Amino acid sequence: MDSTVNNSDLSLGKIKITSPFWNKYRELIVKEVLPYQWKVMNDKADINIAEDPQAGGVNKESHAVANLKIAAGKMEGHHYGYPFQDSDVYKWLEAAAYSFNYHPDEKLKQITDSVIDLIADAQDPDGYLDTLFQIDMPDRKFKRLQQSHELYTMGHYIEAGVAYYKATGNQKALNIARKMADCIDNNFGPQDGKIHGYDGHPEIELALARLYEITKEKRYLDLAHYFLLERGQDPQFFNKQIAKDGDDDEHDLIDRFRTYPLTFWQAAEPIVDQKTAEGHAVRVGYMLTGVTHVARLTHDEALMEAGKRLWRDIVKRRMYITGAVGSNALRESYTFDYDLPNDTVYGETCAAVSMVFFARQLLDVEAKGEYADVIEKELFNGALSGMSLDGKHFFYVNPLEADPKLSKYNPAEAHVLTHRADWFGCACCPANLARLIASIDQYIYNVIDNKILSHQFISNEAEFNNGISVKQESNFPWEGDIEYTLHSDSDTDTQLGIRIPSWSQGRFTLSINGKKITAKEVDGFVYIDIAKGTTHVELSLSMSTHIMRANTRVRDDMGKVAIQRGPIIYCTEEADNSASLWAYRLNAIPRFNSKFESGLLDGVVSLETNDAEKAEDDSEELYFEDKNVSWKPSSMKFIPYYAWSNRKNGQMRVWQDINK
């Protein structure tokens, strides 16, 4: 395993985001998303999620805050919602904590401080906290880990507690997290008398690694390592627990979960033996985030190699061009290599978010541009599509082809919504996306050895703890000209590594202090020595429109093309192109005109081409000879995929037919 670690002298100190694109979203989080989600979780928002396939019978309630109040003895009642309902509050709290770093809000902080107090009151004296079991099932704690999400839920609080402590200095927030970790450590591990098992949904592993880094308590890192190594050692662990707890529908916490294969739970075999990414896509992403983080901290080479091996399988054979992962709607899972249907895809928003976490950890291990390419792909496409431009409507599923009629009348596509929902019965995605956007400043730079890796083009002003400052300016993602102003107070042996995105490799220019240079790419980065004083760097990336094709093994995309400009994947939408979208085809060598439209979708670069045709046929016949199809010249308009379904409810398509 690469033994490089972050140079503490080069750690990132302060950073201020100046990107117009991302500041718009970060302010949206503060002004709209967090207040809206807080109302929803307090059952004070006028929402309707009855048509949501994830609703599970829930119509207008979250009850997440009420569950905590009941557990704290502040009100009476029973638990409502999924076993992991508490985690909605914790992810919201984490997002709020990040927002304080760039937008202090005393009114919001009063609310979040009160939430910390409520959580502390709800926590049992031994550190346990999961309101379902505290309220209604105190005798079943840790007895049905396949379905309970207990460690998953507490892991989400630990992440929130660490973030809140770092942002506000609130010691109570950190103490709650430590008490949780101590409770888990007292109940799990290889020692006699402890549970030799793990949660059905990985999350606690990455949370404990984060807690270790802030507390330096090695027990937490050892416990995270144990959970990862124990996973799959006894494939029957969950079944043995279920047999004792009650092997019948009445004892199930979530319907049908007992019937799912072991791969769904990452329980079929040890992680180090896994050759391909299998099972629930979010579970895989969280697990691999923990794998790479813990492997780096413990120098576990076998575990790290497993993480990199599964990365290669996902990114090279199981990922959509938008960054979506998880093609099977039945179990929100991976299926097999190159199986990437566009209309029945699941592509959960949380899965895209988890890939950002995973890639970020890999960048702490080695400087490879491919990891940052995926972060970029998710940020501008697969993850961002999960939220509407108003911050109050969300996608759980992110298809690459959609039709309202198919979603309404075809049960196989009922999971695909063509308009974003107010909320979900299983509401993991909205707050997950909020915490990612609020913490976007953590995904711009990585430090490894004596190198600062500038891997995301998000305008900012950053100060590093050894006296180096980096100012990055651009109008990315709409323009490809990136300017850096570097300043160093001393003669430090430090380099700035600038990523050259895969979509611009071999098509870029680089200048230092006004002099054009030829720079060699090394694993997707070019390196510049940071000299004492001030250095100006200008990078110009190609923003030409690319015609993309999929590997011929992807049967659903054979004979089709996708359109990409810079990091943005484009799609056609019925709001701009008359139905039916599948009746269009591009000419063999289409030319595109790009135009920034400030009044369209909060300001986007749209693409238009006249090099297209549309099939016209007025016949009543269902089938007829090819010669009877009439193709008429047509124009086509494309918008960024992330912004689809913000106007009218209609068809959408990423992959286009081409006359070639």
Side-chain angles (χ1 to χ4, degrees), residues 285-352:
Y286 282 0
M287 180 188 77
L288 293 176
T289 301
V291 162
T292 47
H293 196 170
V294 171
R296 174 172 59 84
L297 294 173
T298 61
H299 306 287
D300 188 327
E301 295 184 8
L303 198 58
M304 182 61 74
E305 176 50 37
K308 292 180 181 179
R309 180 171 63 246
L310 295 176
W311 167 271
R312 291 190 294 270
D313 184 49
I314 294 170
V315 173
K316 296 185 181 301
R317 294 179 286 275
R318 300 189 176 202
M319 175 181 282
Y320 286 85
I321 196 169
T322 59
V325 289
S327 56
N328 180 3
L330 178 61
R331 300 189 182 100
E332 309 175 10
S333 299
Y334 293 99
T335 52
F336 56 90
D337 291 347
Y338 305 108
D339 180 39
L340 298 168
N342 296 307
D343 55 348
T344 59
V345 56
Y346 207 73
E348 184 179 341
T349 300
C350 281

Side-chain angles (χ1 to χ4, degrees), residues 111-126:
I111 294 173
T112 54
D113 281 347
S114 70
V115 171
I116 294 294
D117 292 339
L118 174 61
I119 293 169
D121 290 341
Q123 188 173 33
D124 285 347
D126 67 352

Side-chain angles (χ1 to χ4, degrees), residues 547-565:
I547 309 298
M548 305 296 293
R549 285 188 179 271
N551 189 296
T552 56
R553 297 179 181 88
V554 182
R555 67 184 185 281
D556 294 87
D557 299 335
M558 192 64 190
K560 294 181 171 64
V561 296
I563 311 302
Q564 180 171 355
R565 181 182 183 273

Side-chain angles (χ1 to χ4, degrees), residues 2 51 84 110 133 146 151 156 209 214 216 243 258 286 301 412 434 533 536 550 553 567 579 634 648:
D2 189 330
E51 66 179 8
F84 45 83
Q110 289 176 5
F133 295 92
Q146 181 205 63
L151 305 187
H156 271 303
I214 197 74
K216 304 305 178 185
R258 278 178 302 140
Y286 282 0
E301 295 184 8
H536 295 284
R553 297 179 181 88
S634 179
K648 61 183 290 186

